[in-house]
């Protein structure tokens, strides 16, 4: 999680997405759906397709 956070803070979309997955599942961090959606949104705006899909699923399910 530490390395994902460092890379995410530098704007790496794949790290933002992967850190979002950690937050959505509570893997290595306390589960926080709002933080996961925030990170998915950052990655999605950079064109990261999987993050766009996961963000859409969060919206559809009312998560975050």
């Amino acid at each position: 999680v530490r390395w994902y956070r460092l890379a995410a803070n530098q704007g790496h979309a794949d790290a933002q997405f992967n850190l979002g997955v950690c937050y959505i599942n509570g893997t290595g961090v306390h589960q926080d759906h709002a933080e996961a959606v925030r990170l998915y949104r950052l990655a999605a705006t950079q064109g990261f397709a999987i993050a766009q899909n996961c963000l859409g699923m969060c919206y559809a399910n009312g998560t975050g």
Side-chain angles (χ1 to χ4, degrees), residues 8-9 20 29 37 43 54 60:
N9 288 340
V29 293
V37 167
C54 289

Side-chain angles (χ1 to χ4, degrees), residues 19-36 63:
L19 187 56
V21 170
C22 290
Y23 274 103
I24 207 85
N25 295 321
T27 305
V29 293
H30 290 293
Q31 193 172 40
D32 185 345
H33 291 177
E35 181 64 7
T63 304

Side-chain angles (χ1 to χ4, degrees), residues 42-61:
L42 289 173
T45 58
Q46 295 182 62
F48 199 77
I50 300 170
Q52 293 169 344
N53 181 59
C54 289
L55 183 60
M57 293 297 288
C58 287
Y59 288 152
N61 295 326

